[in-house]
Amino acid sequence: MANLTKTQVLIMAATAGIAVANVYYSQPILQAMATQFHISIEKAGNISVLSQIGYGLGLFLLTPIGDMIERKRLILYLQIGLIISLLLVAFSPGLAFLYVGSLLIGVFSVVAQVILPMAASLVKENRGKIVGQIFTGILVGILVARVYSGFITGILGWQYVYIISALMVLITAILMQRDFPSTQERFSGTYAGLLKSTFAQLGRFPLLRRTALTGMLAFGTLSAFWVSLTFYLSGAPFNYSASSIGLFGLLAAAGALIAPVFGKLADKGSHSRSLLFSTVVTLISILLLKFFPGSIAAIWVTVMLLDIGVQATQVTNIAIIYTLDQKANSRINTVYMTSYFIGGALGSYIAIQLYQAGGWPLSTSFMGALALTAILNVMLTKRLSK
């Protein structure tokens, strides 16, 4: 089992953050892209949707391959594909090329989900701490992405968002190939067998099923909150602009800073205690919205506490699943992260329907129900985790 230096962990965190940020670059600059290609904002919105779809496809179809071939080599292939996709978007001659490039950006941005199991397989001690540090890099990448793309577009134009990103991916690709070891045992079957084996991990590990459910509920709560908050703040009595609502996302940086702390707790064997704490914090954040309706201060506190609770749950869950089977880390990660994003998608969709039916009170009740269910699931999971 190899040891990772602080520099190597920093490189992995930066590589993961830079990769995943590409999925979110288009969101604040859709109007500029729509103007460039003379299309409606609705058609421009497909750019962001395609990147999200591509990420889901890459997560399911490509990340399990990390158990079949050397992960460092897979990361290189994905980064090469990502660079080509970024340049395709930057120099797209027409809408079709822009759509294809956006889809492929999502597919190849799953580099981050190969790096996480790679890091877990390369360390014997402090696994939770290191995974937490790399996950912090992912969170920072997501948080900074929208600010970066808006800033670069305002100064140089939207094409340079992708050109500069391609350069950053190239630099991290060179750094990742320098001296990272590979000690993993590999899956020896076919690709079809690998995908079948990915599904089989759910049957192998009851703890994985429980952990995946906790992740689904946590991310569903977070997604439901942000979708509902956008509707809530844009209407009376607040009438906030989209840019003002976006600033609330900066408060979520607290979650990125706290993630390594919960990774350390996981290393000490405090899985159940850490999860119980994080899910309770999530529920408390939602209850603030119920007890203090219409209070901006309550929303500020909720944003911080909710992000801390959900991200702490995520880091602890990842630390747990990487103790199940070192040889199947990528497949296990695929199962968990797929469940996680399904939870987010369902949380957003249901919250929209409930908000339209009953407004803010009904949508916050839904969030509270998700958070409470997560706590109950953690309590049931306690007997499965040591």
Side-chain angles (χ1 to χ4, degrees):
M1 188 75 67
N3 291 317
L4 292 173
T5 66
K6 290 182 179 179
T7 300
Q8 287 175 322
V9 173
L10 180 60
I11 291 172
M12 295 177 93
T15 301
I18 288 171
V20 77
N22 289 286
V23 179
Y24 301 93
Y25 285 151
S26 64
Q27 293 180 359
I29 60 175
L30 291 175
Q31 185 60 62
M33 300 173 86
T35 301
Q36 172 78 22
F37 289 93
H38 307 289
I39 58 176
S40 66
I41 193 64
E42 288 79 15
K43 286 187 176 180
N46 292 331
I47 297 168
S48 295
V49 173
L50 286 168
S51 292
Q52 295 283 355
I53 292 173
Y55 194 84
L57 291 173
L59 186 64
F60 181 72
L61 297 175
L62 296 182
T63 56
I65 300 176
D67 287 335
M68 179 179 284
I69 69 173
E70 185 181 358
R71 291 191 181 103
K72 187 168 73 169
R73 182 151 47 105
L74 176 59
I75 289 169
L76 177 62
Y77 295 158
L78 292 174
Q79 288 179 305
I80 291 173
L82 182 54
I83 291 171
I84 294 172
S85 303
L86 288 166
L87 294 177
L88 176 60
V89 168
F91 297 104
S92 290
L95 186 60
F97 286 92
L98 184 64
Y99 279 174
V100 171
S102 298
L103 177 70
L104 293 178
I105 281 175
V107 170
F108 294 116
S109 290
V110 294
V111 171
Q113 300 305 329
V114 180
I115 288 177
L116 279 172
M118 176 183 176
S121 68
L122 290 176
V123 293
K124 185 176 182 179
E125 299 179 351
N126 298 321
R127 181 178 290 120
K129 175 184 175 182
I130 290 173
V131 167
Q133 290 172 339
I134 294 172
F135 190 69
T136 297
I138 294 174
L139 295 178
V140 170
I142 294 172
L143 292 172
V144 171
R146 298 176 181 90
V147 178
Y148 156 81
S149 62
F151 178 75
I152 296 298
T153 299
I155 297 177
L156 300 173
W158 70 265
Q159 291 91 340
Y160 282 91
V161 171
Y162 296 94
I163 294 172
I164 295 173
S165 181
L167 180 60
M168 290 192 291
V169 174
L170 175 62
I171 292 172
T172 56
I174 294 171
L175 293 174
M176 280 296 298
Q177 296 304 309
R178 289 175 58 190
D179 57 354
F180 283 91
S182 179
T183 59
Q184 71 194 78
E185 296 182 53
R186 298 180 190 133
F187 181 82
S188 57
T190 64
Y191 176 69
L194 180 72
L195 294 182
K196 182 178 179 180
S197 176
T198 299
F199 285 110
Q201 304 308 312
L202 275 173
R204 289 182 66 197
F205 301 110
L207 186 56
L208 176 59
R209 296 195 294 271
R210 291 287 189 181
T211 303
L213 179 57
T214 302
M216 286 181 68
L217 292 166
F219 195 46
T221 305
L222 184 67
S223 299
F225 170 75
W226 281 109
V227 167
S228 301
L229 185 67
T230 300
F231 291 126
Y232 186 51
L233 293 181
S234 61
F238 306 106
N239 298 311
Y240 283 2
S241 66
S243 58
S244 297
I245 295 172
L247 291 176
F248 280 80
L250 295 178
L251 296 172
L257 298 176
I258 205 75
V261 175
F262 285 86
K264 291 179 182 179
L265 287 177
D267 287 330
K268 295 178 181 179
S270 308
H271 296 160
S272 298
R273 192 171 18 170
S274 179
L275 282 175
L276 186 59
F277 176 80
S278 63
T279 50
V280 167
V281 167
T282 300
L283 178 60
I284 290 173
S285 70
I286 301 302
L287 291 178
L288 285 174
L289 300 177
K290 302 295 290 185
F291 292 149
F292 302 99
S295 169
I296 287 296
I299 294 175
W300 290 344
V301 176
T302 293
V303 169
M304 291 186 287
L305 289 182
L306 179 59
D307 198 71
I308 289 172
V310 172
Q311 303 307 349
T313 299
Q314 170 77 325
V315 170
T316 306
N317 280 344
I318 290 175
I320 291 172
I321 65 174
Y322 288 155
T323 65
L324 298 176
D325 184 355
Q326 289 288 306
K327 294 183 292 184
N329 270 350
S330 290
R331 283 165 284 167
I332 289 171
N333 184 72
T334 296
V335 170
Y336 177 79
M337 293 306 301
T338 300
S339 302
Y340 188 73
F341 281 103
I342 289 174
L346 288 175
S348 297
Y349 176 77
I350 295 173
I352 291 172
Q353 310 310 312
L354 293 178
Y355 193 93
Q356 291 176 342
W360 185 244
L362 188 56
S363 62
T364 52
S365 295
F366 170 61
M367 298 173 217
L370 290 178
L372 180 59
T373 304
I375 293 174
L376 296 176
N377 186 57
V378 168
M379 294 175 70
L380 291 173
T381 306
K382 188 174 181 180
R383 57 189 169 85
L384 298 174
S385 178
K386 297 182 179 180

